[in-house]
Amino acid sequence: MNKSDDRPAAPSRTRKIAGRVLTISAFVLIFAALILPNTVSRLERPGTYLRLPLEGFVAVGLLLLIPGGRAKRIVAGVLGAGLGVLTVMKITDMGFYKTLARPFDPVLDWVLLDDAEAFLRDSVGAAGAVGTAVALVLLILVILTLTTLAAMRVAKVGVRHRRTTAITAVSGTAVWVVLLLLGVTGLNNFPVAARSGYTYAWDRAQMVRKGVADERSFAREVQIDAYANTPADQLLTSLKGKDVMVTFVESYGRSAVQDPTLNSGVVPVLDEGTKELAAAGYSARSGWLTSPTFGGGSWLAHSTLLSGLWINNQQRYRNLTSSDRLTLPSLFRKASWNAINVAPGTTRAWPEGNFYRYNQSFDSRNTGYAGPSFGWAPQPDQYTLSWFEKNVHTPGHQPYYVEMPLISSHTPWAPLPTLIDWDQVGDGSIYTRLREQGKSTKSVWADPAKVRHEYARSIQYTLSTVFSWLEKYGDDNTVMVLLGDHQPSPLVVGDGASHDVPITILAKDKTVLDKIAGWNWTDGTRPDPAAPVWPMNEFRDKFLAAYGSSPQLSHAIAPPR
């Protein structure tokens, strides 16, 4: 037998081609993962892809310096898996930017999985929601597996062609440095010298660090309360005997009033409502508040308005609700109002509600609704107000403070209820037929234009319902603070919309509105675009000061409960 017969057989042509395809694919995958942006808008710009990622050259050079094939494979696998994690986070960011106008917080945002699951269940059914969840898990596993294998493939090729790899790593880094120093830009004005992988990982690490620092800072901030020591007889003296309602309208943002693609139906409702309420004896003043959240997280906006603190993440919310901070409901209760919470969107136990110190709490489980849900909303807003009229706003009642988040304008905005005669509402059974006449979630969400249209219709419905209730059932002692909690998602309002929401105070007693004349708000229920804009956390103290409350110390420390 010849010596040549002892040699291993040369790889076939097909195998060589397959190997080259795998190698090229590995390089392309890693390159794509390194330059992948975390917003859809940048994903759509060609300049995103004409860039040179520094991290690739550095990683290849690092692998060459590591002795031993096994150690190289381990490091390559770890780097690949890490790149996969960053890729998953970037893709998650894209979804968050499209729905909440901000990136995903890897520490605080897990609580939103419940809302996402509920939205999916309402949109595509329980089976569809489970299928989507399974598909997402598989997608994550596929991304992690592919980036890990790709990194190990690149490392293997690099060892095989060590000299070429070393030259590529050094020269590539040098070219990158020159491009950076010269400030060379390509298409869309993007810098050709890319370092998005490194900066993205650094930003995520900084997000965690800042979260820890913010927790310590907030622990001090929550104890500073100018009204903590104000005696009960000095609180809200100008509202004595009034029924005060703080009514949130879900997803009612500035865009619903000012965006031409959304406001064609909303503006007439506001203007006609102003005229009809004026004929019924009401006055109204309107302005703007800047919400701490966007597209979701209503509880963050509610707690910001009520506490006078900026609550823009779940960590602050948890720390607030475990503190002794006084809020509008607890201050009204201290001043002898009956503090009531009517929250039709609550479907299970809500321990945080104890923090607000309501005298009574009602939700979808104890308001007697016998009809179907409408999208996310367990019951229509008109039913909630009808139940409230029959069970709370009764003759001879103690003056009350009521907080009422209305939810028919909550995503997915389909199907929607319609305003009916108040005498027909009953126990809500009539809504079974009305729901069947509504549009399905699937048909609406198949077309972005339909989504925007139905969102606007949902705002029209809730505003019309509130105005109708005020006109029919409000009296001389009714004072309503009507406001949005946040803007709808960027899917509806686009990228770059503000965080502003409208706010209106309505009352038949004109002296109530005279107390806020210095606020320079707009007459009526539609705020002027140039009306004052306040951060939402400023409202509590401005409201308390306007209606007669006196702060005792500018830095009073809240006493233990």
Side-chain angles (χ1 to χ4, degrees):
M1 184 177 294
N2 295 329
K3 285 185 178 182
S4 59
D5 295 333
D6 295 330
R7 298 173 185 170
S12 66
R13 179 179 177 81
T14 302
R15 191 172 177 181
K16 285 182 179 180
I17 294 173
R20 288 171 184 168
V21 169
L22 285 175
T23 300
I24 293 171
S25 299
F27 275 102
V28 170
L29 178 62
I30 290 176
F31 173 80
L34 286 172
I35 65 169
L36 180 72
N38 66 335
T39 62
V40 173
S41 59
R42 290 193 64 178
L43 192 66
E44 296 169 346
R45 299 176 186 176
T48 297
Y49 309 100
L50 301 178
R51 301 159 72 214
L52 203 63
L54 171 66
E55 300 86 356
F57 300 119
V58 172
V60 168
L62 174 65
L63 288 172
L64 289 179
L65 296 176
I66 296 174
R70 178 179 173 82
K72 279 185 172 62
R73 288 194 298 273
I74 292 174
V75 173
V78 170
L79 291 175
L83 182 60
V85 170
L86 291 181
T87 301
V88 170
M89 291 179 66
K90 288 179 182 179
I91 294 172
T92 306
D93 278 355
M94 291 181 194
F96 266 66
Y97 273 115
K98 275 298 181 184
T99 54
L100 302 177
R102 63 174 178 82
F104 171 70
D105 189 313
V107 176
L108 303 176
D109 279 338
W110 299 104
V111 67
L112 299 179
L113 290 176
D114 278 349
D115 285 346
E117 188 272 336
F119 172 75
L120 284 171
R121 189 173 60 248
D122 293 336
S123 302
V124 296
V130 171
T132 301
V134 171
L136 288 174
V137 171
L138 290 175
L139 176 62
I140 291 171
L141 292 175
V142 167
I143 290 173
L144 294 175
T145 300
L146 289 178
T147 55
T148 301
L149 292 176
M152 295 175 71
R153 179 78 184 183
V154 169
K156 181 179 179 181
V157 172
V159 171
R160 189 183 305 160
H161 304 282
R162 189 178 185 87
R163 186 170 181 275
T164 302
T165 303
I167 293 172
T168 302
V170 173
S171 60
T173 302
V175 170
W176 185 92
V177 170
V178 171
L179 292 172
L180 178 68
L181 293 175
L182 294 177
V184 177
T185 59
L187 292 177
N188 307 119
N189 229 15
F190 288 168
V192 177
R195 46 182 173 173
S196 55
Y198 160 73
T199 54
Y200 183 79
W202 176 257
D203 287 346
R204 295 290 84 80
Q206 290 297 99
M207 184 180 290
V208 174
R209 185 189 65 79
K210 289 178 181 177
V212 173
D214 182 68
E215 185 171 18
R216 289 195 296 266
S217 172
F218 186 74
R220 295 188 297 270
E221 183 182 348
V222 77
Q223 294 298 319
I224 301 173
D225 189 347
Y227 291 91
N229 297 322
T230 301
D233 60 1
Q234 294 180 27
L235 286 169
L236 301 156
T237 53
S238 298
L239 292 173
K240 292 296 183 183
K242 302 296 184 186
D243 295 325
V244 180
M245 301 176 68
V246 176
T247 308
F248 291 95
V249 178
E250 171 68 35
S251 300
Y252 178 34
R254 181 187 276 260
S255 296
V257 180
Q258 290 186 216
D259 188 333
T261 66
L262 300 171
N263 68 359
S264 60
V266 175
V267 167
V269 168
L270 291 170
D271 291 347
E272 291 167 16
T274 297
K275 292 178 184 177
E276 292 172 359
L277 288 170
Y282 285 94
S283 298
R285 296 274 178 84
S286 300
W288 305 102
L289 299 178
T290 300
S291 175
T293 186
F294 193 111
S298 301
W299 60 94
L300 303 179
H302 300 174
S303 57
T304 293
L305 183 99
L306 302 178
S307 71
L309 295 172
W310 190 252
I311 311 300
N312 62 338
N313 60 53
Q314 193 64 18
Q315 177 174 273
R316 281 187 161 230
Y317 179 74
R318 286 198 304 263
N319 291 340
L320 172 69
T321 55
S322 61
S323 75
D324 296 303
R325 177 78 176 188
L326 290 172
T327 62
L328 282 181
S330 58
L331 286 160
F332 269 97
R333 179 175 177 173
K334 181 178 178 180
S336 300
W337 269 265
N338 182 19
I340 301 171
N341 181 43
V342 181
T346 301
T347 59
R348 54 192 176 190
W350 182 44
E352 299 96 324
N354 296 327
F355 158 73
Y356 293 104
R357 306 180 216 178
Y358 302 110
N359 294 101
Q360 297 172 283
S361 290
F362 302 96
D363 57 38
S364 61
R365 299 169 298 172
N366 56 12
T367 49
Y369 181 61
S373 62
F374 281 77
W376 181 89
Q379 61 194 48
D381 292 339
Q382 188 175 8
Y383 176 84
T384 300
L385 283 163
S386 175
W387 176 90
F388 172 79
E389 179 61 30
K390 295 172 185 174
N391 295 276
V392 179
H393 191 221
T394 54
H397 63 269
Q398 175 188 353
Y400 56 68
Y401 162 90
V402 174
E403 181 189 332
M404 184 184 296
L406 296 177
I407 55 174
S408 289
S409 50
H410 193 289
T411 180
W413 307 303
L416 290 175
T418 53
L419 185 62
I420 59 177
D421 188 280
W422 289 93
D423 294 333
Q424 294 181 320
V425 175
D427 66 356
S429 299
I430 189 173
Y431 288 104
T432 301
R433 174 173 57 81
L434 296 177
R435 189 185 190 282
E436 292 172 354
Q437 297 171 357
K439 299 175 183 178
S440 72
T441 304
K442 290 181 180 179
S443 67
V444 168
W445 280 79
D447 183 351
K450 290 182 179 179
V451 174
R452 290 191 290 271
H453 179 73
E454 294 306 303
Y455 159 74
R457 284 188 61 230
S458 75
I459 297 297
Q460 295 167 48
Y461 164 75
T462 296
L463 292 176
S464 297
T465 299
V466 172
F467 295 159
S468 177
W469 182 87
L470 284 168
E471 188 177 357
K472 185 174 180 64
Y473 297 113
D475 56 38
D476 292 344
N477 290 324
T478 300
V479 177
M480 179 178 285
V481 180
L482 179 69
L483 73 155
D485 50 11
H486 55 71
Q487 289 263 45
S489 73
L491 291 168
V492 175
V493 299
D495 297 326
S498 76
H499 277 55
D500 296 348
V501 298
I503 180 168
T504 300
I505 296 182
L506 304 104
K508 286 192 173 183
D509 184 347
K510 292 185 178 180
T511 62
V512 172
L513 278 300
D514 290 341
K515 294 291 182 180
I516 62 168
W519 291 3
N520 297 317
W521 282 13
T522 308
D523 287 335
T525 61
R526 176 160 63 106
D528 187 271
V533 182
W534 305 337
M536 190 175 281
N537 59 303
E538 291 186 5
F539 178 80
R540 190 202 74 157
D541 287 8
K542 288 180 182 292
F543 184 85
L544 291 172
Y547 291 107
S549 303
S550 302
Q552 295 301 296
L553 291 171
S554 60
H555 293 286
I557 302 300
R561 203 181 332 176

